[in-house]
Structure formats: C-alpha cells, structure tokens
Amino acid sequence: MSDSGSPRVTRLLPDAVHQAVKPGTAVVRLQTTGDRRGVLDGAWWPCSRDIAAELPALISALTEHLGPLTRVGLDAGAWDALPTRVLVDDRVVHIDSFPVGDDTVLVTRGDQDYFSLLVIPPHATPEAARTAMAEAVRADNITQAEQILIDTGTDRAAPRT
C-alpha cells in the first residue's frame, strides 16, 4: 500500500533498465492510466534509420507483451525505404505512412487500441536516451515527443562529425 501524500520519483527508470537501455531498446509502460492522461505510452531507440532492419524486433517485443499488432504508423520521410507491410513471426503487420513526425511511432492492436511511442534518434547518447525514455513513460507526462527530444538534447539534428 502506498501513501498517496508522499511524493513519487517518476523521472528515474529502475537500475536494471538503465543498464539495458542501448540502441535497439524499447521501453513501454504497459499499465496505462484509465483516462490516458499521458501523451506517450513508451519509447523506442532504434539503432539506425533502416526500418526494414529495425521494425521486426520492435514488433516482436511489443507483440510479446501487448498481443498481436495490426498496424504501425510511421513518417515515411524519417525512414529509409518504408514498406507497406512486414511479416513478423508469421503475421502480417501493415505499415501506414503519414506525417506523425519522425519522433513518434503509432502501434495499433486490434481495431482502435493504439500506443504512441517516442522515437529516440539513433545518434543519441545513452544518457540523453535514458532521460528521454524516462520522461516518455511517465503516466502523467503531457509533454509532446518533439519537446522531450529538445529538452533532453536528443533532437533530430544529425550527429556532428
């Protein structure tokens, strides 16, 4: 039983998650609030912009926890060669292209049950990615994905060489 009067620390992820957060990681808050106050349901940090290489692992991981997925919505301008569907674990998942922004991916389970994930740019530093992911999975987060990336220094700017 928790004391409702005590402040909750919501910015930190458990230590085990901090160790696991690396490119290719997805963090999803599976218990959403009843009123879906939070803007985002989780975050994903792909290793590259090659969606054919990145998306199957995300779909497999999410399917394990959420059940079969039917659609994934992505911004075609943010990814290399966006397909119209992918086959993952013998299931076809349709890929929708619309201007959601390259900082968000929409995942649909069933007819209308969707989850919105923050997309961490592949070039992000581990610390910036952890901070952005922690913000994205907070149940009371009302900050839009683009602003989270700006606030944590993981915005869309290309990596410096």
Side-chain angles (χ1 to χ4, degrees), residues 93-158:
V93 178
H94 297 275
I95 309 300
D96 296 325
S97 172
F98 51 92
V100 294
D102 67 348
D103 45 29
T104 308
V105 60
L106 300 176
V107 179
T108 306
R109 172 181 68 180
D111 292 333
Q112 296 180 1
D113 190 13
Y114 71 92
F115 298 86
S116 179
L117 306 178
L118 168 70
V119 178
I120 308 294
H123 67 270
T125 65
E127 187 56 40
R130 285 184 195 112
T131 303
M133 288 177 143
E135 184 67 19
V137 298
R138 283 186 32 228
D140 63 346
N141 171 48
I142 58 169
T143 306
Q144 296 292 325
E146 182 178 24
Q147 190 61 49
I148 290 173
L149 295 180
I150 291 168
D151 292 348
T152 59
T154 55
D155 57 0
R156 299 179 218 170

Side-chain angles (χ1 to χ4, degrees), residues 123 157-161:
H123 67 270
R160 293 182 183 151
T161 56

Side-chain angles (χ1 to χ4, degrees), residues 18-95:
H18 277 285
Q19 294 166 1
V21 173
K22 59 185 186 264
T25 299
V27 177
V28 181
R29 186 183 69 251
L30 296 175
Q31 295 180 336
T32 58
T33 59
D35 60 3
R36 299 287 298 254
R37 291 177 297 152
V39 173
L40 299 162
D41 299 300
W44 175 41
W45 188 14
C47 295
S48 71
R49 291 288 180 185
D50 179 357
I51 200 66
E54 301 293 334
L55 197 54
L58 175 66
I59 291 171
S60 288
L62 292 176
T63 298
E64 183 178 326
H65 297 286
L66 302 174
L69 303 178
T70 56
R71 305 189 95 70
V72 174
L74 299 162
D75 188 337
W79 301 95
D80 300 337
L82 194 64
T84 58
R85 64 182 61 92
V86 294
L87 183 64
V88 179
D89 301 327
D90 296 325
R91 293 187 60 92
V92 173
V93 178
H94 297 275
I95 309 300

